[in-house]
């Protein structure tokens, strides 16, 4: 095989794992009523694809190939495993017998391969509130996004066995508590859980992303965007989902400007020509889609705030009074002290550091939060109170969990002393 | 599938309505219609309200055979086990739906799949 052909096979294998595996897991889980079996069988089939395709080339319909082979693997496993077989006999009696047909459902063979409802069911199952939140995130990346356990572990900076255990514990609970793969009547609550998972994933990626961190084969921010696009495609009638998609798009669009020469750069100092304008345009479109639905919510408000930042050509063009108003609305919905802190920073930009400081000092419950002290320190410095600013920035440095932020704080301190 | 729903709530917050009072009748009415809905749906297996924890006794058994009998629940907790339902539900979501409808205004309702339950007809397999 030539190099070009080998590359083509690798590319097809990658696409198979990332785009088709999740769909096939969803279909097989539905068919066999056994998530673990579906996952194991799809993994077996992916390994077989790696071996067979390199020799025989890529099949004409890779997704249908995967479904057919994974299904056969599942049936093989079933016949080998008596316990499983009994369980399946209850869920899908026709499959427990040797005379099973192994043809793919016509929808796959026709090439119209988009079992939307099945994928939504699988996503809701992975994000079921009865599972631990960390496990929901891991399971979603594993089964819906088609990532390898090692890839997820390295993205979260945890050892692979820890992550593998998290996933298998969640699978055990799904089985022992009989968590169903169904579409609930009130989809809204359950989609809220999905959004929490995506938001958590994005934040984790955003915070751990740094030029000094080891190169990641998987970027959690990109994964969050990808998942959120899937969520709005599968369940388009929910404004908050469009709001979260807009928020992650607009925030992620600024990624290349966040670090220069290995150093963190704050929003106002970023080189805006490095922002990804196609992503900002897509984010703006999602904001508009959400707004048109007239179901206000916190993610939508945050996305509107993000769009004010992302659409300003320079910091001076930012409409800070409007942003203060938006934070007021967000505060009335969430009563979160973090929102109050962001609002205070916007007040300082709109009305000067003294009024911003007054707003910061009115916040309770953030004494251990490094950005509370960092914001306070910055505003004190701008108000000319250098001594208090230094004390606050030192506290921020001590409390900061993040190397890039500590570096930035140290530089700020150096300029004050 | 069988699920045990353990009802925890703050027993000091349980209303103390006099039997026969309109408040008492309204409260009992809510419980009766909840129970009836479980029975009608074929989900009811068993259920009880427990006497308050002041009537509780704990038997503590240790490796080596020593046992001790002490008063009350073994830990001071904000919420106490006040009752339970044993239900037949198709899956966890169905059990959650039942737990959501329990007419206790505030509390924590723990749902546990039943692992092993010798049934009335002597069949020891879990359902």
């Amino acid at each position: 095989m030539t190099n070009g052909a080998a590359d083509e096979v690798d590319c097809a294998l990658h696409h198979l794992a990332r785009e088709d595996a999740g769909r096939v897991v969803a279909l097989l889980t539905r068919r066999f009523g056994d998530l673990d079996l579906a996952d194991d069988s799809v993994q077996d089939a992916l390994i077989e694809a790696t071996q067979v395709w390199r020799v025989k080339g890529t099949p004409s319909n890779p997704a249908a190939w995967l479904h057919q082979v994974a299904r056969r693997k599942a049936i093989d496993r079933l016949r080998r495993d008596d316990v499983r077989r009994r369980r399946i006999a209850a869920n899908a009696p026709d499959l427990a017998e040797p005379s099973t047909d192994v043809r793919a459902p016509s929808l796959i063979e026709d090439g119209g391969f988009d079992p939307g409802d099945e994928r939504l069911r699988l996503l809701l199952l992975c994000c079921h509130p009865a599972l631990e939140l960390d496990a929901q995130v891991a399971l979603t990346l594993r089964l819906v996004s088609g990532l390898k356990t090692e890839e997820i572990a390295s993205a979260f900076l945890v050892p692979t066995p820890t992550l593998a255990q998290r996933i298998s514990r969640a699978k055990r609970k799904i089985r022992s508590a009989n968590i169903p793969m169904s579409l609930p009547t009130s989809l809204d609550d359950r989609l809220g859980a999905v959004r929490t998972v995506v938001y958590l994933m994005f934040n984790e990626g955003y915070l751990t992303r740094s030029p000094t961190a080891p190169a990641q084969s998987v970027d959690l921010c990109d994964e969050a965007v990808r998942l959120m696009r899937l969520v709005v495609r599968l369940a388009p009638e929910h404004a908050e989902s469009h709001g979260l998609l807009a928020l992650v798009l607009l925030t992620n669009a600024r990624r290349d400007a966040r670090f220069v020469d290995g150093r963190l750069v704050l929003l106002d100092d970023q080189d805006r020509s490095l922002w990804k304008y196609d992503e900002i345009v897509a984010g703006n479109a999602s904001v508009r889609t959400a707004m048109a639905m007239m179901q206000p919510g916190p993610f939508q408000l945050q996305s509107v705030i993000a769009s004010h930042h992302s659409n300003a050509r320079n910091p001076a063009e930012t409409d800070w009074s409007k942003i203060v108003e938006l934070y007021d609305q967000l505060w009335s919905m969430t009563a979160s002290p973090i929102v109050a802190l962001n609002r205070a920073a916007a007040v300082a930009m709109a009305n000067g550091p003294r009024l911003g400081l007054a707003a910061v000092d009115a916040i309770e419950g953030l004494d251990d939060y490094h950005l509370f002290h960092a914001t306070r320190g910055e505003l004190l410095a701008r108000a000319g109170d250098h001594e208090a600013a230094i004390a606050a920035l030192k506290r921020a440095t001590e409390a900061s969990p993040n190397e890039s932020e500590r570096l930035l704080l140290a530089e700020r301190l150096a300029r004050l002393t | 599938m069988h699920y045990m729903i353990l009802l925890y709530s703050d027993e000091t917050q349980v209303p103390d309505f006099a039997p026969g009072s309109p408040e008492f009748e309204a409260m009992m009415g809510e419980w009766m219609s909840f129970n009836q809905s479980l029975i009608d749906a074929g989900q009811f297996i068993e259920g009880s309200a427990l006497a308050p924890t002041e009537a509780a006794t704990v038997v503590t058994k240790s490796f080596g055979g020593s046992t001790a009998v002490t008063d009350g629940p073994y830990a001071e907790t904000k919420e106490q086990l006040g009752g339970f339902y044993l239900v037949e539900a198709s899956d966890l979501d169905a059990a959650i739906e039942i737990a959501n409808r329990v007419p206790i205004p505030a509390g924590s309702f723990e749902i546990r799949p039943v692992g092993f339950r010798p049934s009335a007809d002597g069949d020891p397999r879990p359902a």
Side-chain angles (χ1 to χ4, degrees):
Chain A
M1 190 182 285
T2 64
N3 269 343
D7 285 350
E8 207 173 289
V9 169
D10 282 345
C11 184
L13 283 168
H14 180 78
H15 185 88
L16 189 72
R18 299 303 310 281
E19 299 297 330
D20 300 322
R23 299 171 198 199
V24 175
V25 170
L27 276 172
L28 294 186
T29 305
R30 186 82 175 142
R31 186 72 184 92
F32 292 85
D34 186 332
L35 177 74
D36 216 7
L37 175 70
D39 184 27
D40 287 348
S41 309
V42 169
Q43 292 312 308
D44 289 351
L46 286 171
I47 292 168
E48 188 167 315
T50 312
Q51 294 157 351
V52 173
W53 293 12
R54 285 189 205 283
V55 180
K56 293 188 176 169
T58 311
S60 61
N61 184 342
W65 183 97
L66 183 69
H67 182 268
Q68 202 154 15
V69 172
R71 201 176 135 99
R72 203 179 63 229
K73 300 274 183 198
I75 290 164
D76 288 349
R77 275 174 178 270
L78 269 179
R79 292 192 183 130
R80 280 200 307 269
D81 181 343
D82 222 34
V83 181
R84 253 179 173 161
R85 187 187 175 131
R86 273 207 304 270
R87 198 165 53 235
I88 300 312
N91 288 316
D94 53 313
L95 295 174
E97 296 308 316
S99 61
T100 307
D101 94 85
V102 291
R103 258 170 26 88
S106 59
L107 105 143
I108 293 188
E109 298 205 320
D110 296 346
F113 184 58
D114 188 19
D117 276 3
E118 304 302 328
R119 294 189 85 186
L120 185 56
R121 284 189 179 94
L122 181 65
L123 186 61
L124 293 174
L125 175 62
C126 291
C127 301
H128 197 285
L131 300 171
E132 210 190 327
L133 193 53
D134 282 351
Q136 293 179 32
V137 177
L139 212 54
T140 303
L141 287 169
R142 178 78 188 72
L143 298 176
V144 181
S145 307
L147 294 174
K148 295 191 190 78
T149 305
E150 307 85 83
E151 291 174 322
I152 305 166
S154 90
F156 279 97
L157 311 174
V158 300
T160 303
T162 308
L163 200 104
Q165 209 175 30
R166 203 176 283 171
I167 290 175
S168 57
R169 208 184 313 126
K171 283 182 179 170
R172 268 204 307 279
K173 173 145 187 200
I174 289 173
R175 178 179 304 156
S176 62
N178 198 20
I179 303 179
M181 189 168 139
S182 58
L183 286 182
T185 38
S186 82
L187 201 51
D188 219 37
D189 280 358
R190 298 291 303 279
L191 281 174
V194 173
R195 289 191 290 265
T196 302
V197 162
V198 173
Y199 187 64
L200 203 82
M201 197 182 287
F202 187 83
N203 275 340
E204 180 71 21
Y206 204 72
L207 291 175
T208 54
R209 194 187 260 170
S210 94
T212 51
Q216 303 289 325
S217 57
V218 169
D219 184 293
L220 289 174
C221 293
D222 295 344
E223 285 308 320
V225 170
R226 196 166 162 264
L227 266 172
M228 216 49 228
R229 285 190 196 274
L230 178 69
V231 173
V232 302
R233 193 159 59 75
L234 296 178
E237 304 301 326
H238 301 261
E240 274 292 87
S241 296
H242 291 281
L244 179 55
L245 174 60
L247 178 63
V248 294
L249 279 168
L250 292 166
T251 311
N252 206 33
R254 303 183 209 127
R255 63 185 170 275
D256 289 348
R258 271 185 82 217
F259 290 98
V260 169
D261 298 331
R263 286 166 33 217
L264 186 63
V265 183
L266 295 181
L267 188 62
D268 277 0
D269 303 322
Q270 288 178 5
D271 175 357
R272 298 189 178 210
S273 69
L274 296 175
W275 292 359
K276 304 273 184 226
Y277 280 90
D278 52 334
E279 292 174 28
I280 292 173
V281 168
N284 290 339
S286 291
V287 171
R288 282 193 299 274
T289 308
M291 294 293 129
M293 291 180 170
M294 308 291 278
Q295 315 155 5
F299 281 131
Q300 293 170 75
L301 278 170
Q302 289 178 73
S303 74
V304 176
I305 294 168
S307 80
H308 271 276
H309 290 301
S310 296
N311 290 292
R313 274 167 302 180
N314 54 63
E317 212 182 69
T318 311
D319 186 349
W320 288 104
S321 321
K322 184 73 200 162
I323 290 177
V324 172
E325 251 174 59
L326 290 162
Y327 274 123
D328 282 337
Q329 290 178 42
L330 191 55
W331 163 260
S332 70
M333 273 183 201
T334 62
S336 144
I338 308 266
V339 170
L341 181 65
N342 287 322
R343 179 189 169 277
V347 168
M349 295 305 287
N351 306 318
R354 290 273 166 212
L355 285 171
L357 267 174
V360 168
D361 288 335
I363 301 169
E364 278 173 25
L366 289 185
D367 223 37
D368 296 326
Y369 185 50
H370 66 288
L371 291 181
F372 174 77
H373 298 289
T375 308
R376 220 175 144 260
E378 182 56 39
L379 297 185
L380 284 164
R382 277 190 227 160
D385 189 346
H386 284 210
E387 214 165 302
I390 290 167
L393 291 172
K394 279 186 176 157
R395 274 198 78 176
T397 315
E398 282 159 23
S400 173
N402 179 306
E403 185 57 42
S404 309
E405 282 177 357
R406 275 196 296 273
L407 211 71
L408 191 73
L409 287 164
E411 283 172 18
R412 188 72 185 92
L413 268 168
R415 271 185 285 140
L416 281 173
T417 42
Chain B
M1 189 152 162
H2 294 175
Y3 292 89
M4 179 69 112
I5 305 178
L6 301 163
L7 308 173
Y8 292 88
S9 61
D10 181 349
E11 61 187 7
T12 65
Q13 297 296 310
V14 175
D16 189 19
F17 301 132
S21 69
E23 294 87 352
F24 182 85
E25 294 304 321
M27 184 179 77
M28 290 312 285
E30 263 191 277
W31 281 100
M32 301 290 269
S33 70
F34 173 64
N35 291 339
Q36 194 59 48
S37 76
L38 293 184
I39 294 165
D40 291 347
Q43 294 175 310
F44 183 88
I45 299 170
E46 186 59 77
S48 292
L50 305 180
T53 53
E54 62 178 24
T57 303
V58 177
V59 174
T60 311
K61 200 167 166 181
S62 315
F63 292 112
S66 67
T67 62
V69 177
T70 49
D71 169 52
Y74 43 86
E76 284 298 324
T77 48
K78 273 210 265 353
E79 295 181 331
Q80 298 80 27
L81 182 62
F84 71 89
Y85 278 96
L86 182 63
V87 298
E88 164 68 43
S90 53
D91 53 43
L92 183 67
D93 285 352
I96 290 173
E97 191 271 331
I98 293 172
N100 275 332
R101 289 193 290 120
V102 172
I104 296 175
S108 314
F109 312 144
E110 181 178 340
I111 302 171
R112 296 276 290 273
V114 173
F116 178 84
R117 177 173 176 258
S119 68
D121 59 14
D123 185 348
R125 280 178 312 179

